[in-house]
Amino acid sequence: MSVTHQQVLEKLAGVTSPRGVALTNANVLSPITVSDGKVFFSINVDAAEARAWESVRAQAESAVRAIPGVTAAMIALTAERKPGSSSPPPHRHAAGGGVPPASAHRPPQGAPSPMSRQAEIPGIAAVIAVASGKGGVGKSTTALNLALGLRDVGLRVGLLDADIYGPSIPRLTGIREKPALNDDKKMIPISRFGLSIMSIGFLVEEDTAMIWRGPMVMSAITQMLRDVAWGALDVLVVDMPPGTGDAQLTLAQNVPLKGAIIVSTPQDLSLIDARRGLAMFRKVNVPVLGIVENMSYFQCPHCGTRSDIFGHGGARHEAERLGVPFLGEIPLHMAIRTTSDSGNPVVESEPDGPHAAIYRAIGAKVRDQLRGVIAAA
Ligand code: ADP
């Protein structure tokens, strides 16, 4: 039995909004996508009201799920700050303290849903994820320097910071400006170091990012993937949120990934988390391109002496055991930390140094694995 748009609207009319009127009359709904029994739309409200709307979102989702024939319902609550409620935005949407509603560029009904894994992103040959089982292992630092390594081996590269809970790409790249919109109302990624870069941190104030939960995360990331004028790219590197919870799984399922790279430190605990990451990508049939061991060994910035303080080599063994490629070892080195934290990543600031060479070698391995995909595109 095929689900109709009208059925969805009828159900939503039975849900009362915090404004005291039916949800369908509250002027908050994006266009509704119904495709193959799957229903997607967003409820767009002011950030200040978001908490009051969370239960309405949940009610709307259960109401839609109850329609015979509905196999999935994804309803996102997106929070936008009203113009004027924070520092005045230079551009509509992009600087408004929230993410623009997902509605603007939805394909007509019957086309693949923008949330579907099958929906490739026009112009991008391969989207790859950089993930870690937990925070603090250097995932973002690796994602940025790997993106630069891929650039150095001749690819056109973009970087999407999807770490919505703690976006660090603005800090690691020193980017302070907000993206502008083009004539099609798509955000133009910031161009830095020859990369096209987008981060939720360019769009939202920290406090706004914190109130985003559950489906809002996916909705925001979908918009950053699809409502951005990426142009022609060979690879888009996605810096994933750390961990292997529901948000990460949904992301891995819904972003059209051609592969994933797992970053781990050599410690046992980090490796256990990395294994979970691997299992997560395998579960959703995303090929794991390999494991990178970060903070692999300590290299003294003064004398260059190497110490294996974390029992270096754990990730290499783990990769062998699990049958995935081992991509390389990055030392724990002061230069990597200081360059990262000053917005001038090491591959860019010390291109002839030993660290840049390591990231480039990892980039070359990744490029070789993606060769077929890039050539086909
Ligand atoms: P994550 O994204 O996993 O939370 P980050 O990339 O933000 O981690 O890194 C956390 C901290 O560790 C940052 O201060 C960063 O500069 C530092 N760091 C990351 N990798 C290295 C490394 N190989 N050597 C030295 N410092 C590093």
Side-chain angles (χ1 to χ4, degrees):
M1 189 192 312
S2 68
V3 181
T4 66
H5 201 252
Q6 190 55 33
Q7 279 175 297
V8 176
L9 285 175
E10 276 164 17
K11 276 286 182 188
L12 295 178
V15 176
T16 308
S17 72
R19 295 177 189 171
V21 296
L23 185 54
T24 39
N25 291 331
N27 203 20
V28 291
L29 297 182
S30 73
I32 296 167
T33 301
V34 183
S35 164
D36 269 353
K38 299 184 183 69
V39 180
F40 304 106
F41 61 92
S42 59
I43 301 175
N44 310 305
V45 298
D46 187 66
E49 294 177 283
R51 269 173 216 283
W53 281 85
E54 177 54 34
S55 66
V56 176
R57 189 205 64 75
Q59 282 173 48
E61 209 165 65
S62 352
V64 171
R65 286 215 175 107
I67 301 170
V70 167
T71 53
M74 166 85 81
I75 299 169
L77 187 59
T78 60
E80 284 205 74
R81 197 166 279 171
K82 283 216 174 80
S85 64
S86 63
S87 50
H91 301 287
R92 202 172 76 84
H93 282 161
V99 169
S103 54
H105 307 287
R106 290 229 186 266
Q109 278 186 34
S113 152
M115 307 288 273
S116 116
R117 283 210 55 204
Q118 285 70 42
E120 300 287 334
I121 300 161
I124 303 182
V127 182
I128 62 170
V130 174
S132 65
K134 62 172 185 168
V137 301
K139 171 183 55 59
S140 298
T141 303
T142 307
L144 173 58
N145 282 297
L146 168 66
L148 292 166
L150 288 164
R151 172 203 68 180
D152 287 352
V153 296
L155 301 182
R156 295 165 300 175
V157 186
L159 175 65
L160 169 61
D161 177 5
D163 187 352
I164 201 148
Y165 302 112
S168 39
I169 293 300
R171 175 173 49 88
L172 301 184
T173 55
I175 294 173
R176 302 272 175 270
E177 66 254 45
K178 292 177 184 298
L181 297 182
N182 70 8
D183 291 344
D184 294 333
K185 301 278 183 287
K186 288 201 168 204
M187 287 180 278
I188 303 166
I190 307 286
S191 187
R192 184 72 46 103
F193 315 128
L195 307 175
S196 298
I197 306 177
M198 180 56 65
S199 167
I200 200 80
F202 301 158
L203 306 176
V204 296
E205 314 293 333
E206 258 172 68
D207 55 345
T208 311
M210 281 169 62
I211 63 162
W212 292 12
R213 298 183 293 270
M216 295 165 83
V217 175
M218 193 55 227
S219 169
I221 291 166
T222 303
Q223 286 165 35
M224 287 201 295
L225 270 174
R226 302 192 185 279
D227 288 353
V228 167
W230 288 109
L233 295 179
D234 297 309
V235 182
L236 177 65
V237 176
V238 178
D239 181 12
M240 296 270 289
T244 50
D246 285 350
Q248 289 78 3
L249 182 65
T250 313
L251 227 157
Q253 255 165 342
N254 289 297
V255 173
L257 294 173
K258 291 284 187 282
I261 291 159
I262 309 227
V263 181
S264 178
T265 62
Q267 289 105 314
D268 287 347
L269 274 179
S270 177
L271 285 167
I272 291 169
D273 289 315
R275 222 171 285 153
R276 287 204 189 102
L278 210 81
M280 176 180 83
F281 286 112
R282 285 192 164 155
K283 192 162 154 187
V284 296
N285 295 319
V286 171
V288 174
L289 303 174
I291 298 182
V292 171
E293 186 168 275
N294 189 38
M295 310 192 195
S296 181
Y297 50 91
F298 174 70
Q299 203 168 18
C300 173
H302 307 295
C303 62
T305 312
R306 171 179 167 149
S307 334
D308 293 343
I309 48 178
F310 298 131
H312 139 263
R316 181 188 287 276
H317 294 139
E318 198 61 26
E320 276 166 16
R321 208 176 67 77
L322 296 164
V324 296
F326 182 70
L327 296 174
E329 299 168 349
I330 301 157
L332 175 69
H333 195 283
M334 190 66 109
I336 299 181
R337 198 197 67 72
T338 50
T339 53
S340 273
D341 294 349
S342 65
N344 206 3
V346 74
V347 173
E348 183 66 20
S349 54
E350 299 177 12
D352 300 323
H355 309 307
I358 296 173
Y359 287 112
R360 268 196 293 275
I362 296 174
K365 286 184 186 165
V366 172
R367 176 202 55 196
D368 291 348
Q369 290 196 62
L370 294 173
R371 206 161 241 154
V373 176
I374 293 171

